[in-house]
Amino acid sequence: MAAHSVPSGLVKHLQVKQQPKKKERSSNCLFFVRKSFQLGLNNFPNFNHNNNNNGKPFFPHSLTITSKSSGSSTAETAGLSVSPREIKEKCKKWVWKGQFSINYFVSDSGALNSNPPLLLVHGFGASIPHWRRNIRTLSQNNIVYAIDLLGFGASDKPAGFAYTMETWAQLILDFLNEVVRKPAVLVGNSVGSLACVIAASESSRSLVRGLVLLNCAGGMNNKAIVDDWRIKLLLPLLWLVDFLLKQQGIASFIFERVRQRDNLRNVLLSVYGNQKSVDEELVEIIIEPTFDQGALDAFVSIVTGPPGPNPVTLMPKLSIPVLVLWGNQDPFTPLDGPVGKYFSSLPATLPNISLFVLEGVGHCPHDDRPELVHEKLLPWLADLAAS
């Protein structure tokens, strides 16, 4: 998941519809703040920033590559899932910079060592088990690593730590260098994608062989997307929310609202295209780490911190193969928003980049409709291994 959504939570009731939803022109982690405002801070004035596209997905005219549903169901992919308990039992610890305990997972399925290993990097609020529907399939041909970024999952959440995109990128590079020790393919979702882009732009083929981006974020929070007029209008409100979140009592109140099970389920339902994928297991995956010491500090730091490097300046620097997969029902980074439009334009100008739009899919394609992701990802990985 991600970390940059407009906190316009200035509506009295949270309503989740089962039919196609109007896109909210916002980004990720502040989306959770917005929903908590909707659920609890009803004294703010209302603000409605839905689009005027009658709830229909918008596709840039230049975008011609799409992916249609193969008809596979959630039930069919469930048999390939790895349970969170099994993932936890196989996780290991790595000490980063001599002081931070980082939780990671590595597959042991006997995949061909000649194929490049994969490193899976989650988005905002998620952790290694968010890849539970992908690990077994991907492990058939590649050794799979997955990591909990600092501040998430079972990794350390140091008190007072100032989280940045650059810190996570350096964590990824050090993990590749010290643990994987082999050129790897980075696979990221949302802010995890952006961290992978930053890492790849600072590395070489000696560490990063390829890059897979699943609904890449434009920054760690909304302040990165200042070229969107909707964000410009809300910048004063964003700064106000930053101020409020730095007040311990208000931050604790919002955090408590966000992690209430019913509230979190409603948020997830609003960002997943396939709502059957929003099960109790997913809710528990997101909720459990929020009770760790330091989780609130991490939440506040990420929401209020610097947005980090913009992918617009980074993507042209990459010469390695890049696969971009984008769910067309993403309310965080919609295709007609600045980030979506930019990534949609890349295949026409950069020959190393392939892009596919996944129909009926939200912000977390790998968990939302894993079969559609695997349909595009597995052949791409095979071609990469053969090149």
Side-chain angles (χ1 to χ4, degrees):
M1 297 176 62
H4 57 292
S5 174
V6 174
S8 63
L10 316 163
V11 183
K12 292 185 178 179
H13 303 288
L14 175 62
Q15 295 179 341
V16 179
K17 299 180 180 180
Q18 299 299 319
Q19 298 302 317
K21 302 173 284 297
K22 291 184 178 181
K23 295 283 189 289
E24 298 192 41
R25 294 308 183 259
S26 51
S27 307
N28 348 35
C29 116
L30 286 180
F31 183 86
F32 293 97
V33 179
R34 186 178 71 81
K35 290 301 184 184
S36 68
F37 270 69
Q38 288 176 329
L39 291 161
L41 301 181
N42 295 331
N43 57 316
F44 280 77
N46 288 341
F47 183 90
N48 189 330
H49 64 288
N50 287 333
N51 71 355
N52 58 0
N53 201 33
N54 297 321
K56 297 179 181 179
F58 172 91
F59 293 93
H61 292 297
S62 62
L63 187 61
T64 57
I65 303 176
T66 60
S67 174
K68 296 184 178 180
S69 171
S70 62
S72 299
S73 67
T74 303
E76 291 171 342
T77 60
L80 295 176
S81 295
V82 182
S83 71
R85 175 176 293 183
E86 182 180 350
I87 290 173
K88 289 179 184 179
E89 290 174 349
K90 294 184 177 180
C91 278
K92 303 179 180 181
K93 298 294 183 181
W94 166 62
V95 178
W96 182 45
K97 293 184 177 294
Q99 56 181 323
F100 302 121
S101 176
I102 302 299
N103 189 55
Y104 76 95
F105 171 92
V106 58
S107 67
D108 55 2
S109 61
L112 296 175
N113 288 330
S114 59
N115 291 341
L118 311 180
L119 175 58
L120 311 181
V121 184
H122 62 80
F124 174 79
S127 57
I128 294 170
H130 203 210
W131 301 98
R132 67 199 187 282
R133 293 174 174 149
N134 315 105
I135 287 173
R136 183 160 285 135
T137 297
L138 297 178
S139 296
Q140 293 175 5
N141 296 307
N142 300 78
I143 295 175
V144 175
Y145 292 84
I147 192 171
D148 281 341
L149 295 173
L150 189 72
F152 294 113
S155 288
D156 276 355
K157 304 168 183 65
F161 191 87
Y163 293 89
T164 66
M165 294 302 311
E166 294 91 338
T167 298
W168 288 330
Q170 189 59 53
L171 168 61
I172 291 169
L173 290 175
D174 290 345
F175 183 82
L176 292 177
N177 187 50
E178 297 180 22
V179 179
V180 180
R181 298 181 181 180
K182 189 176 181 181
V185 176
L186 302 180
V187 183
N189 173 226
S190 189
V191 292
S193 279
L194 182 55
C196 290
V197 170
I198 299 169
S201 69
E202 296 177 352
S203 181
S204 65
R205 287 181 181 269
S206 63
L207 283 179
V208 182
R209 177 81 180 274
L211 195 58
V212 180
L213 308 178
L214 306 171
N215 288 63
C216 186
M220 194 168 73
N221 50 54
N222 252 355
K223 294 184 287 291
I225 316 177
V226 294
D227 56 339
D228 187 340
W229 65 268
R230 291 159 293 212
I231 303 302
K232 289 180 180 179
L233 285 176
L234 289 172
L235 272 177
L237 183 58
L238 294 177
W239 292 116
L240 173 62
V241 170
D242 280 4
F243 171 77
L244 293 175
L245 284 175
K246 290 177 181 178
Q247 314 308 308
Q248 184 69 27
I250 296 175
S252 296
F253 170 78
I254 292 175
F255 194 61
E256 288 300 322
R257 300 291 297 185
V258 168
R259 70 181 181 184
Q260 288 179 9
R261 187 172 294 271
D262 288 344
N263 293 348
L264 180 57
R265 183 183 298 105
N266 285 335
V267 171
L268 292 168
L269 286 169
S270 69
V271 300
Y272 269 61
N274 177 19
Q275 304 209 335
K276 292 181 179 178
S277 291
V278 181
D279 52 20
E280 288 304 309
E281 188 174 80
L282 174 61
V283 173
E284 186 61 29
I285 287 171
I286 305 299
I287 285 180
E288 183 178 4
T290 68
F291 290 94
D292 292 347
Q293 185 174 1
L296 173 59
D297 287 349
F299 174 79
V300 172
S301 176
I302 293 165
V303 172
T304 62
N310 193 310
V312 173
T313 64
L314 299 178
M315 292 302 296
K317 298 179 181 180
L318 301 178
S319 59
I320 58 175
V322 180
L323 174 65
V324 180
L325 302 178
W326 213 278
N328 74 326
Q329 291 188 6
D330 181 0
F332 289 163
T333 47
L335 282 170
D336 68 338
V339 179
K341 284 182 178 178
Y342 174 72
F343 276 95
S344 298
S345 71
L346 289 181
T349 57
L350 299 175
N352 60 311
I353 296 179
S354 302
L355 182 143
F356 296 92
V357 172
L358 306 180
E359 296 180 4
V361 179
H363 187 64
C364 307
H366 61 290
D367 190 54
D368 194 328
R369 292 297 299 270
E371 73 280 2
L372 294 184
V373 170
H374 299 157
E375 180 182 298
K376 300 302 179 186
L377 177 55
L378 294 179
W380 185 86
L381 289 173
D383 289 344
L384 182 67
S387 62

